[in-house]
């Protein structure tokens, strides 16, 4: 069996042609969180912290594409009439720019606005699954579970932002639904380094209560070994 060096113990990869597949999940790498003028910045966060993972996630994306493995992108956003945004979510925080308000990248956290676009370096290819989600978790009010089942996907590799909010929530949702979940530590980031650290620790605690944690280099080497027989 092919495995990825991971914590708390090696992560098993599905065998080629086993009918079980591994997919890369890139959570919310959208301009609203990563660039100035979006939702993240409106909440007073330093968005530059998140920008440093873009090259790592781009390398993972390239690897999955080269190996013909599926990729899922998510975007957090709401319908223009905000009918899918609970009033409690809209009210939350003391920002002058709230969900639905007009900002430098269009309406904050609204589908179809420039701020809702995924950053150019990670733009989805035609045919890749893009899940628009109104919540923090990728399974809440979306058809993600059904789509994964249709595609035979059983193993999910998590990257994106922010580690302790949408990434962790989605990973927990996936874990409860029976997916084998692996977090790429250097492919995820938070506005709060201490929250990222705590999330990475709690996911792998108690024998991997939510899943496994690895690094991009380790994952890429194992994927190449498992799906091409080569490590280069
Ligand atoms: C947040 C997210 N932090 N994508 N969303 O509100 O983590």
């Amino acid at each position: 069996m092919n495995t990825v060096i991971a914590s708390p113990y090696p992560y098993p990869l599905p065998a080629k042609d086993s009918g079980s597949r591994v997919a890369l999940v890139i959570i919310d790498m959208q301009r609203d969180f990563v660039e100035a003028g979006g939702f993240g910045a409106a909440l007073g966060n330093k968005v530059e912290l998140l920008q440093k993972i873009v090259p790592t996630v781009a390398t993972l994306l390239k690897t999955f594409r080269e190996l013909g493995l599926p990729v899922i992108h998510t975007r957090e956003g709401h319908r223009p009439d905000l009918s899918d945004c609970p009033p409690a979510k809209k009210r939350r925080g003391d920002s002058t720019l709230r969900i639905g308000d007009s900002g430098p990248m269009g309406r904050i956290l609204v589908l179809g606005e420039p701020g809702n676009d995924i950053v150019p370096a990670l733009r989805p290819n035609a045919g890749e699954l893009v899940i628009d989600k109104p919540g923090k978790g990728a399974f809440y009010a979306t058809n993600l579970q059904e789509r994964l089942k249709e595609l035979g996907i059983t193993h999910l590799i998590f990257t994106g932002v922010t580690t302790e909010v949408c990434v962790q929530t989605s990973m927990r949702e996936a874990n409860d639904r029976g997916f084998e979940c692996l977090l790429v530590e250097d492919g995820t980031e938070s506005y709060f380094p201490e929250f990222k650290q705590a999330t990475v620790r709690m996911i792998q605690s108690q024998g991997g209560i939510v899943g496994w944690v690895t690094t991009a280099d380790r994952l890429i080497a194992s994927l190449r070994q498992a799906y091409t027989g080569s490590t280069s």
Side-chain angles (χ1 to χ4, degrees), residues 5-229:
I5 299 172
S7 181
Y9 57 90
Y11 174 81
L13 286 170
K16 205 175 170 179
D17 304 325
S18 62
S20 164
R21 300 169 84 199
V22 58
L24 177 66
V25 183
I26 306 178
I27 300 284
D28 299 359
M29 287 300 288
Q30 61 201 69
R31 299 180 66 203
D32 255 325
F33 293 111
V34 178
E35 293 185 13
F39 184 59
L43 294 173
N45 296 304
K46 287 201 177 75
V47 292
E48 303 75 33
L49 275 176
L50 305 194
Q51 290 164 9
K52 69 176 194 233
I53 63 162
V54 172
T56 306
V57 180
T59 302
L60 285 166
L61 180 57
K62 185 166 169 275
T63 304
F64 272 73
R65 285 173 176 164
E66 280 170 6
L67 295 174
L69 299 171
V71 177
I72 295 133
H73 307 259
T74 72
R75 297 182 290 213
E76 181 179 348
H78 297 280
R79 296 188 197 121
D81 64 4
L82 303 188
S83 56
D84 58 354
C85 180
K89 181 175 180 184
K90 182 162 165 54
R91 275 196 305 270
R92 197 70 53 82
D94 58 3
S95 167
T96 46
L97 271 184
R98 289 173 186 274
I99 296 169
D101 291 348
S102 291
M105 290 194 289
R107 293 182 66 205
I108 299 277
L109 228 57
V110 169
L111 302 177
E113 297 288 335
N116 196 240
D117 279 347
I118 290 172
V119 296
L122 305 175
R123 192 167 287 142
N125 273 353
E128 286 174 353
L129 195 54
V130 180
I131 298 288
D132 285 311
K133 60 185 187 59
K136 304 303 179 193
F139 290 83
Y140 167 68
T142 71
N143 65 355
L144 179 57
Q145 187 167 0
E146 293 73 23
R147 296 304 311 275
L148 294 175
K149 193 164 179 215
E150 281 162 21
L151 295 166
I153 294 167
T154 50
H155 290 58
L156 296 174
I157 310 295
F158 282 90
T159 61
V161 298
T162 62
T163 315
E164 78 283 8
V165 185
C166 291
V167 176
Q168 179 172 214
T169 304
S170 301
M171 193 166 168
R172 286 177 181 274
E173 287 181 327
N175 183 55
D176 280 347
R177 286 165 174 77
F179 293 93
E180 303 283 12
C181 299
L182 174 64
L183 177 68
V184 183
E185 187 168 356
D186 49 345
T188 182
E189 198 47 80
S190 169
Y191 300 120
F192 306 93
E194 68 277 23
F195 290 173
K196 170 177 172 178
Q197 233 181 4
T199 304
V200 165
R201 285 184 62 198
M202 69 178 82
I203 278 171
Q204 63 189 280
S205 68
Q206 302 177 74
I209 197 137
V210 181
W212 287 259
V213 178
T214 192
T215 60
D217 281 354
R218 286 176 166 168
L219 173 62
I220 290 168
S222 300
L223 289 172
R224 291 200 184 286
Q225 176 75 48
Y227 302 120
T228 68

